[in-house]
Amino acid sequence: MIIDCHGHYTTAPGALQKFRDAQIAGLKQNLDLPLSARTPISDDEIRDSLENAQLKLQRARGTDLTIFSPRASAMAHHIGNEITSRRWTEACNDLIHRVCNLYPENFVGVCQLPQSPGAAPVNSADELERCVEELGFIGCNLNPDPSGGNWTSPPLTDRHWYPLYEKMVELDVPAMVHVSSSCNPNFHATGAHYINADTTAFMQFLTSDLFSDFPTLRFIIPHGGGAVPYHWGRYRGLAQDLKRPLLADYLLKNVFFDTCVYHLPGIELLLKVIPADNIIFGSEMVGAVRGIDPETGQYFDDTKRYLDALRLSDGDRHKIFEGNARKVFPRLGRRLREVGNLK
């Protein structure tokens, strides 16, 4: 089985955005639009939104299952208040649940969290539990910067986050560290803010004892780890200067990287620097880069093609395409058995 750990519902029916637009308009009148104001979305609309997009690409590229979450750039936790975020989050997660029920062999859910600037992370625990226990989701996306590019929250290693981590450990689910849109004009969302956040999260983990406090806590750093693989020597050296243990001993049991890197040399570097045990196949299709690379004639985000071009052992190939996803998302196997997907 080939499992794509990083997919977003970027093609959701227009009615979802219509609700969001109405919600934002209501904020100008000090109104928080209730969930009952959502425009109904039919099963056929969901099918139409996927059949010529994610499902078509799954079939064409030879992947089996996508770990699927709401559109990351649309989380926009900086908009409105905590109530705004909670209602928007529930609307998005409920729609992912419907996708997974319509296509249980193709998608399994990961949830957005109702984060908001200044709100305690533990306030997201109830929605995480609802999505895992009631909707069958297997993980969450955690935004380290709910302020949208202004970085007003404490580092991910601060005790500010610990109560939410306790819930993640209790439920045995990982988080993908994934920021959302940027309201700071200095940082383009997908070209800078995303990569900055990936790199920042890793450095925060490097300088902390977080995983001594939470030995089973697991994070996926997306987009190939941002700048981390390219500067692996810098991070090894910093760890040494700071009298930290070897990175493999105190980070790589808990931190994993996906393959959302959109050219072959980048994938080659990732595989050369990061152990195969810590790499999980991901594409982020249909996502940040949707076009065709004129140098190859293929889609930038067809990351399976890059991996297929590498001389990997059968063992490493299995780890990257399936084994590591099952290890990092322990609920995945249970979910597949529940829906009869035994590939």
Side-chain angles (χ1 to χ4, degrees):
M1 174 180 277
I2 296 177
I3 301 168
D4 185 340
C5 78
H6 191 166
H8 299 299
Y9 198 3
T10 54
T11 60
L16 181 66
Q17 187 60 45
K18 184 177 179 181
F19 171 70
R20 182 59 161 172
D21 292 343
Q23 189 185 43
I24 293 171
L27 292 173
K28 297 176 182 177
Q29 304 174 34
N30 294 317
L31 297 174
D32 273 301
L33 208 65
L35 280 171
S36 59
R38 286 179 288 184
T39 301
I41 297 173
S42 70
D43 286 352
D44 284 343
E45 287 178 288
I46 295 174
R47 293 188 183 98
D48 288 345
S49 73
L50 294 165
E51 287 290 347
N52 288 310
Q54 285 88 351
L55 284 170
K56 179 180 178 180
L57 292 173
Q58 273 188 357
R59 295 163 186 147
R61 298 178 185 180
T63 61
D64 298 303
L65 180 77
T66 300
I67 297 176
F68 209 47
S69 63
R71 184 161 61 103
S73 62
M75 294 189 298
H77 293 117
H78 60 278
I79 293 177
N81 54 39
E82 196 171 0
I83 295 174
T84 311
S85 183
R86 180 165 297 279
R87 289 176 179 166
W88 173 235
T89 294
E90 289 179 10
C92 292
N93 288 337
D94 287 348
L95 192 57
I96 293 293
H97 178 54
R98 291 182 61 192
V99 167
C100 296
N101 282 346
L102 286 171
Y103 296 98
E105 293 189 355
N106 300 94
F107 299 102
V108 63
V110 159
C111 67
Q112 175 177 323
L113 296 176
Q115 298 174 250
S116 184
V122 71
N123 295 358
S124 293
D126 287 348
E127 178 63 7
L128 174 61
E129 187 166 38
R130 179 183 82 94
C131 288
V132 172
E133 299 287 15
E134 298 179 22
L135 306 187
F137 287 17
I138 63 171
C140 63
N141 289 337
L142 179 66
N143 186 351
D145 175 37
S147 69
N150 293 310
W151 290 92
T152 58
S153 293
L156 288 172
T157 51
D158 190 273
R159 291 185 177 274
H160 170 79
W161 300 90
Y162 273 31
L164 178 60
Y165 296 161
E166 289 169 1
K167 179 58 67 173
M168 289 170 55
V169 168
E170 176 190 328
L171 296 170
D172 200 14
V173 295
M176 178 173 283
V177 179
H178 208 309
V179 288
S180 185
S181 49
S182 171
C183 59
N184 186 331
N186 289 291
F187 304 117
H188 182 276
T190 55
H193 188 41
Y194 282 19
I195 308 304
N196 294 346
D198 304 334
T199 309
T200 298
F202 184 83
M203 188 63 198
Q204 290 175 359
F205 296 149
L206 187 154
T207 56
S208 80
D209 294 313
L210 175 64
F211 301 118
S212 296
D213 293 337
F214 295 98
T216 62
L217 189 64
R218 300 177 301 282
F219 291 102
I220 300 134
I221 300 182
H223 319 117
V228 172
Y230 189 73
H231 288 287
W232 192 245
R234 175 181 292 257
Y235 292 111
R236 287 176 53 239
L238 285 168
Q240 179 175 289
D241 291 347
L242 294 167
K243 312 300 182 187
R244 309 297 296 173
L246 295 175
L247 296 183
D249 293 339
Y250 83 107
L251 286 189
L252 295 188
K253 295 181 178 68
N254 306 84
V255 178
F256 302 84
F257 303 80
D258 76 13
T259 63
C260 294
V261 178
Y262 293 156
H263 64 148
L264 179 58
I267 292 288
E268 289 174 328
L269 174 70
L270 178 66
L271 268 292
K272 188 174 182 178
V273 173
I274 303 299
D277 286 340
N278 291 82
I279 298 174
I280 309 177
F281 172 64
S283 72
E284 205 176 7
M285 69 170 193
V286 180
V289 180
R290 302 190 181 198
I292 292 176
D293 184 346
E295 295 182 6
T296 65
Q298 306 296 332
Y299 283 96
F300 282 102
D301 65 1
D302 188 356
T303 56
K304 180 177 178 293
R305 181 179 296 274
Y306 308 137
L307 289 163
D308 288 344
L310 300 180
R311 292 184 178 179
L312 298 174
S313 69
D314 289 344
D316 285 350
R317 190 172 297 277
H318 173 75
K319 289 175 184 177
I320 293 167
F321 280 126
E322 178 179 358
N324 291 340
R326 289 181 179 270
K327 175 177 67 176
V328 175
F329 295 90
R331 287 178 174 266
L332 175 59
R334 276 175 270 172
R335 181 61 179 167
L336 294 179
R337 289 190 293 273
E338 286 172 2
V339 301
N341 189 342
L342 301 177
K343 291 181 183 176

